[in-house]
Amino acid sequence: MNELYGILKLLKNGSVKRMNGNWIGKSIFVLKMIFILITFKALSIGLVYALDYLGVFTKPVNLNRIGFDNLSKIETLLFTSVFAPIVEELAFRLPLRVSKWGICIGSIGFSFILCKVLIELNWLYSGFSSLLVGVLILSSLSKINLQRLKSFWRSNRKLIFYSSLLVFSFLHLKNYQLTFELFLFSPIILLPRFLGGLVFSYVRF
């Protein structure tokens, strides 16, 4: 399958060329990527559950699910299936292709995640702080600075790609209670996130 070869090429080079084609070809491409994503997720989540069943380690409890107890099922669904994935894609996948607005919107998304997830500010402060960061970056991105940024991106594609993918994956450790066992088995626990991020990065390219 060409898509699997393309994903391997992305892992090797840190980028792939943009796909050309009509809407039918692109629709088929999207369906193939959904199939690959589901397969990757099923295999990686199956590995986690298998190791938990065999007693290799204890599968950690997702603390976010506990935090959703006060939300309705609709609110939980909207947050976990719509809002959070959109912010993550804007923060980690949109800037993989350099553009002025891509960098600006990506910085807003990334700043929001840092403020809300790591610093644990409330929604209002997180939103205001991330918008302020976006405005500052937008105002500083002159044509010369944007060209310099594009040149840096081209010269460090692999570093930027893997940094984005790993930061995206390891930020999800905040979903769990931080323990030594969690850090020890984090590559396995975060494998579904890593593979999901890999597929979405390929789609973005």
Side-chain angles (χ1 to χ4, degrees):
M1 187 180 286
N2 291 335
E3 286 73 22
L4 288 176
Y5 173 76
I7 291 174
L8 291 175
K9 191 174 181 180
L10 176 59
L11 285 170
K12 179 181 178 182
N13 300 326
S15 68
V16 289
K17 293 181 179 180
R18 186 188 299 271
M19 181 187 74
N20 295 316
N22 56 31
W23 66 271
I24 296 177
K26 291 182 178 180
S27 299
I28 293 173
F29 168 78
V30 169
L31 291 175
K32 287 181 179 179
M33 295 312 300
I34 291 173
F35 174 76
I36 290 173
L37 177 64
I38 292 172
T39 302
F40 279 1
K41 287 278 190 175
L43 291 174
S44 55
I45 292 174
L47 175 63
V48 172
Y49 275 94
L51 293 176
D52 177 55
Y53 177 78
L54 294 172
V56 177
F57 71 92
T58 303
K59 183 180 177 295
V61 176
N62 192 319
L63 299 179
N64 280 344
R65 292 176 183 172
I66 298 175
F68 293 148
D69 290 343
N70 296 327
L71 301 178
S72 68
K73 291 183 178 180
I74 296 297
E75 289 173 329
T76 301
L77 180 65
L78 287 175
F79 183 84
T80 58
S81 302
V82 180
F83 179 75
I86 287 176
V87 173
E88 287 178 347
E89 295 310 303
L90 292 178
F92 293 102
R93 253 64 75 178
L94 185 64
L96 289 177
R97 285 194 176 276
V98 184
S99 68
K100 187 172 185 176
W101 282 105
I103 294 297
C104 177
I105 295 172
S107 67
I108 292 174
F110 188 70
S111 300
F112 183 85
I113 290 172
L114 290 181
C115 290
K116 194 73 184 77
V117 176
L118 291 184
I119 306 176
E120 298 183 351
L121 297 178
N122 63 33
W123 290 96
L124 180 62
Y125 286 129
S126 297
F128 178 77
S129 300
S130 57
L131 285 174
L132 181 60
V133 169
V135 170
L136 290 174
I137 289 180
L138 182 63
S139 62
S140 66
L141 280 179
S142 63
K143 286 186 178 181
I144 295 176
N145 289 336
L146 186 60
Q147 288 302 319
R148 289 173 179 169
L149 194 57
K150 287 182 177 180
S151 178
F152 175 80
W153 237 250
R154 284 192 294 267
S155 301
N156 299 275
R157 289 173 178 172
K158 191 179 291 188
L159 173 64
I160 291 167
F161 164 69
Y162 275 105
S163 297
S164 172
L165 191 55
L166 291 174
V167 170
F168 164 76
S169 300
F170 277 92
L171 271 177
H172 286 86
L173 285 179
K174 280 288 289 181
N175 293 350
Y176 310 101
Q177 183 178 359
L178 301 180
T179 62
F180 174 74
E181 184 181 52
L182 179 68
F183 284 109
L184 184 63
F185 291 100
S186 58
I188 296 173
I189 295 168
L190 296 177
L191 184 59
R193 304 288 186 181
F194 180 88
L195 292 175
L198 176 61
V199 171
F200 286 124
S201 295
Y202 180 69
V203 172
R204 168 59 180 149
F205 279 113

